[in-house]
Amino acid sequence: MVRLFNHWLRWRSLAQMLFDFSFVTIGLLVAVLWIGNTFPADRQQILVFSALLGVAMLVVNSLLGFYQRYIKRSILQSSALAVVSIYLAIPLAYGIYAIMPMTGVDKDFMQLSALSAVFGMLVARVGSNHTAVSGILTRRILVFGTGTAALQVQQALEKSDPSAMILGFFPCPNEEQVSVPRNMVIASQQSLADTARTLRADEIVVAISERRGGAMPLRELLDCKLQGIRVLDLASHFEQTLGQIRLDSLYAGWLIFGDGFRQGRVRTALKRLFDLFFASLLIVLALPIMAVTAAFIAAENGFPLLYRQERVGLNGRLFKVIKFRSMRRDAEKDGKPVWAAAQDDRVTRVGRIIRKLRIDELPQLFSVLKGDMSLVGPRPERPYFVDQLTKEIPFYAVRHSVKPGVSGWAQVRYHYGATVEDSANKLQYDLYYIKNNSLFLDMVVLFETVGVVLTGKGAH
């Protein structure tokens, strides 16, 4: 894992992006040489064209989810996305060619070369995404512990990181229960440090439930760290691997004494400028969509077109959220708040479509301009549910230390939630965002929000 502007990224994802960019740019140059036999006179134009096409394809592939932390797609689904990427590459290549003052280069010749490079890149990307990782990108991980916490580490890695290789589980003297596969438990004939050296471990994850009574071999863990082996506790491991801060591995001291959770005046001012600029831009671009949406809502279910609802914002302050009405007018006729569900029978036909495309959220951009919300942040919740969740979920109130957002890290990482358990799971992503928030992470969230809308993942 590598940390970029407070956000943890996988080396594998960065390597994939670098490979795809290089494949498109170099592949286009090779195609030009192979098809044309000679390199065109204006080499600078070809280099600029190939670089712009490479960047454009990185954007397209990112929106389609090719560089996600974990991929739950079949090879057929990945192939279908690759076809979509090819179709998008055609107008992109023509558009780049049109805005560049290229002379002495045949347009059809350049397009054929560009699409040949893109096709080769996509074939390589689909193949590598469904091939076991080996070599220098493999993370060799030794887990210290054999209980339920160690099993969670194994399950999380198998789900999220195909480049991770668990070497085994080193038993802790204070753990009696063995929850991991017994054939992967390492016989403790050597010390932890010697075992890590013998197995050539790159990383040690401390996954034990009890740290008292000499359970932690601090000296050996320090020796491992001094020898260049990364040592992570459970909370840090889940933060880096899954992009979440797990509640079952979290304790108050880690929140207080760890890094992150810094807002500051400069960060607040920059985020406000970021919100004002992009919210204004999005409102201008979305006005036609909002006008059409309003007309369809009125035609199907009459007025009102919008609904206002009280939500909890920054520092627990109440405000009115504004959204397009996607439910029947009598959705809560008895006056009692009800969890919204993914397949809610109160949702109208138009409402189901605008929820899926996230169009119902667009009026919240005006709340961003007003200052009640931000473009990116935890989802604002109703006071009734906040009171309930604060009592049942530890650290739930921490999410109110930043402004709520139109979109958020939890929204692009977790499916639509309608229970207390779902709220706890989403809180783990919210805590990650609050701890590591930056303009870079805001851009990542907005970028992935577009990808969610295009692919329909997690839509509600």
Side-chain angles (χ1 to χ4, degrees):
M1 306 297 290
V2 58
R3 196 173 192 183
L4 186 63
F5 300 109
N6 291 338
H7 179 47
W8 288 99
L9 298 170
R10 290 190 308 155
W11 274 112
R12 176 178 168 85
S13 296
L14 295 178
Q16 287 174 335
M17 297 177 73
L18 178 61
F19 175 84
D20 288 355
F21 177 80
S22 302
F23 197 109
V24 170
T25 53
I26 297 174
L28 191 150
L29 298 178
V30 171
V32 167
L33 286 172
W34 183 64
I35 298 173
N37 296 322
T38 58
F39 201 84
D42 197 337
R43 302 181 179 184
Q44 184 177 359
Q45 289 182 348
I46 304 298
L47 291 173
V48 173
F49 177 85
S50 61
L52 290 176
L53 181 62
V55 171
M57 292 313 301
L58 284 184
V59 172
V60 170
N61 286 351
S62 297
L63 291 176
L64 293 176
F66 278 108
Y67 310 121
Q68 288 180 346
R69 286 172 175 255
Y70 49 91
I71 299 175
K72 294 182 177 179
R73 291 192 300 265
S74 66
I75 191 168
L76 182 62
Q77 291 172 320
S78 293
S79 300
L81 288 178
V83 171
V84 174
S85 185
I86 281 283
Y87 275 110
L88 293 175
I90 296 173
L92 282 173
Y94 273 95
I96 295 172
Y97 185 92
I99 63 176
M100 289 185 61
M102 299 185 71
T103 57
V105 182
D106 181 71
K107 179 173 68 174
D108 294 333
F109 169 69
M110 281 299 300
Q111 298 307 316
L112 180 60
S113 300
L115 293 180
S116 298
V118 170
F119 179 78
M121 177 269 291
L122 290 171
V123 170
R125 173 58 39 236
V126 172
S128 65
N129 280 354
H130 294 275
T131 303
V133 180
S134 61
I136 59 174
L137 294 180
T138 302
R139 295 166 58 206
R140 300 174 62 86
I141 299 174
L142 176 63
V143 180
F144 178 57
T146 57
T148 55
L151 180 61
Q152 290 175 357
V153 170
Q154 181 187 27
Q155 293 171 340
L157 289 173
E158 289 176 349
K159 172 186 175 183
S160 66
D161 195 350
S163 64
M165 175 192 297
I166 296 183
L167 304 173
F169 299 88
F170 193 91
C172 172
N174 288 16
E175 280 189 327
E176 297 180 357
Q177 180 184 3
V178 177
S179 302
V180 300
R182 291 186 178 273
N183 64 323
M184 296 186 67
V185 177
I186 299 172
S188 54
Q189 297 174 349
Q190 292 181 310
S191 66
L192 176 60
D194 290 337
T195 300
R197 283 192 294 268
T198 301
L199 296 176
R200 294 182 291 112
D202 300 316
E203 184 177 308
I204 296 175
V205 178
V206 179
I208 56 176
S209 54
E210 182 56 65
R211 300 186 176 207
R212 294 172 294 183
M216 289 277 286
L218 298 177
R219 178 63 194 182
E220 294 185 38
L221 290 172
L222 178 59
D223 288 341
C224 292
K225 188 169 185 177
L226 293 174
Q227 293 173 21
I229 302 173
R230 299 177 71 231
V231 179
L232 297 177
D233 64 1
L234 207 54
S236 299
H237 165 74
F238 284 122
E239 177 188 4
Q240 297 181 23
T241 303
L242 297 180
Q244 61 179 212
I245 296 177
R246 293 282 287 260
L247 295 175
D248 52 10
S249 63
L250 188 60
Y251 52 96
W254 190 85
L255 294 175
I256 296 170
F257 298 110
D259 60 353
F261 294 101
R262 294 188 300 269
Q263 305 301 324
R265 295 181 180 179
V266 174
R267 159 64 178 155
T268 302
L270 289 175
K271 186 173 176 66
R272 182 59 181 155
L273 292 174
F274 176 90
D275 287 340
L276 289 173
F277 175 79
F278 281 100
S280 301
L281 178 63
L282 289 172
I283 287 173
V284 172
L285 295 176
L287 278 176
I289 299 175
M290 288 194 282
V292 172
T293 300
F296 275 107
I297 293 173
E300 181 188 21
N301 202 243
F303 292 88
L305 305 176
L306 304 172
Y307 83 91
R308 293 172 175 81
Q309 195 175 70
E310 196 172 59
R311 298 290 175 97
V312 179
L314 177 65
N315 297 324
R317 186 177 62 86
L318 300 180
F319 73 99
K320 294 284 188 178
V321 72
I322 307 172
K323 299 175 70 174
F324 277 120
R325 184 170 59 83
S326 59
M327 292 187 178
R328 301 190 311 265
R329 283 170 291 185
D330 61 346
E332 290 183 352
K333 55 186 177 182
D334 57 357
K336 183 179 179 181
V338 179
W339 286 104
Q343 301 296 327
D344 202 319
D345 59 5
R346 299 172 297 165
V347 179
T348 64
R349 286 176 297 176
V350 172
R352 203 170 301 282
I353 295 173
I354 64 175
R355 278 188 168 204
K356 186 174 182 62
L357 298 176
R358 304 291 176 101
I359 295 174
D360 63 320
E361 310 280 355
L362 289 177
Q364 293 180 75
L365 293 171
F366 293 99
S367 296
V368 174
L369 293 182
K370 186 179 177 183
D372 290 330
M373 297 179 65
S374 175
L375 280 176
V376 180
R379 180 183 177 87
E381 195 52 83
R382 301 173 68 175
Y384 176 86
F385 295 125
V386 168
D387 291 340
Q388 176 187 358
L389 296 171
T390 302
K391 296 174 182 177
E392 298 188 28
I393 304 175
F395 304 109
Y396 187 81
V398 175
R399 69 197 305 274
H400 299 132
S401 62
V402 297
K403 284 184 181 180
V406 178
S407 185
W409 185 242
Q411 280 91 307
V412 299
R413 284 288 168 217
Y414 192 78
H415 61 77
Y416 189 67
T419 65
V420 174
E421 182 181 359
D422 286 332
S423 296
N425 287 327
K426 295 186 78 168
L427 175 62
Q428 296 176 142
Y429 291 102
D430 287 333
L431 289 174
Y432 176 89
Y433 173 78
I434 297 168
K435 181 178 185 291
N436 300 289
N437 73 90
S438 65
L439 289 181
F440 175 74
L441 184 52
D442 286 355
M443 291 296 294
V444 170
V445 171
L446 292 179
F447 205 75
E448 293 203 11
T449 300
V450 177
V452 166
V453 173
L454 290 177
T455 60
K457 296 177 305 173
H460 57 279

